[in-house]
Amino acid sequence: MKLNDIRDNPGARKGRIRVGRGIGSGKGKTGGRGQKGQKSRSGVAIKGFEGGQMPLHMRLPKRGFNNPFGKDFAEVNIGMVQKFIDAKKLDGKKDVTEDALRAAGLVRGGKDGVRLLGKGEIKAKVKFVVAGASKGAIEAVEKAGGSVEVTAPAKAEKAAEKAD
């Protein structure tokens, strides 16, 4: 047997149906679209349309509020930071910044920086430089002998400069 002898089993691959290629093909004339009507014509996209009845996505009530000015933080728990320090993926002796967390693969996303949350416990004495932190996270880090420096977002700094 050679490489050029290898074939699929008969019937393993089914050819595509060529629509609109003569009446003898079984899919000729109307091409499987039936007679007349909107869907027999080209350029039709009726995704949510229900024949004039109010579509389901419009009948259901709206819920919640999407704040266009809300901050988008990448969140990281202190327990996970401790885990990464123990696994030597993160250097606890240097400042733990957003760049260090991203390089370690602990954080993804978050256009407005990293926010530190207090789930888990931290034993290492670490200095964090992050865009935000919860009260519980700050208390836990300070209890372990570390510190948290919350940097102000760039937009807030620009607004403060204009006010002066």
Side-chain angles (χ1 to χ4, degrees):
M1 182 170 213
K2 297 185 183 91
L3 280 174
N4 64 328
D5 293 336
I6 297 172
R7 299 273 181 277
D8 279 323
N9 295 330
R13 290 175 182 262
K14 194 173 180 186
R16 72 180 177 88
I17 295 172
R18 296 179 69 223
V19 176
R21 292 293 179 272
I23 288 171
S25 71
K27 282 278 188 274
K29 194 180 168 222
T30 54
R33 289 171 178 259
Q35 277 22 290
K36 299 183 184 174
Q38 188 178 6
K39 286 165 77 174
S40 73
R41 320 215 185 275
S42 66
V44 176
I46 324 170
K47 291 232 171 11
F49 186 67
E50 296 184 15
Q53 172 176 297
M54 187 60 67
L56 179 67
H57 65 89
M58 292 171 77
R59 290 197 303 267
L60 295 174
K62 289 193 249 180
R63 291 277 300 172
F65 171 71
N66 205 352
N67 186 0
F69 305 107
K71 296 277 178 254
D72 177 31
F73 290 114
E75 294 167 347
V76 62
N77 285 303
I78 56 172
M80 285 303 291
V81 173
Q82 181 63 51
K83 212 180 206 181
F84 271 59
I85 290 170
D86 293 342
K88 306 241 187 298
K89 291 182 182 175
L90 197 62
D91 188 8
K93 290 172 180 61
K94 294 180 185 168
D95 290 2
V96 176
T97 61
E98 181 181 343
D99 296 333
L101 291 168
R102 286 189 193 284
L106 194 54
V107 186
R108 288 191 311 199
K111 335 188 267 286
D112 296 315
V114 174
R115 184 169 156 82
L116 197 63
L117 301 179
K119 187 175 178 189
E121 59 179 300
I122 190 158
K123 298 179 204 93
K125 185 179 174 183
V126 184
K127 183 184 181 203
F128 288 95
V129 181
V130 287
S134 66
K135 283 182 189 172
I138 292 169
E139 287 171 12
V141 171
E142 287 174 352
K143 188 177 158 192
S147 64
V148 178
E149 184 185 320
V150 177
T151 58
K155 290 175 188 171
E157 287 174 8
K158 286 178 186 173
E161 286 174 15
K162 285 181 183 176
D164 289 342

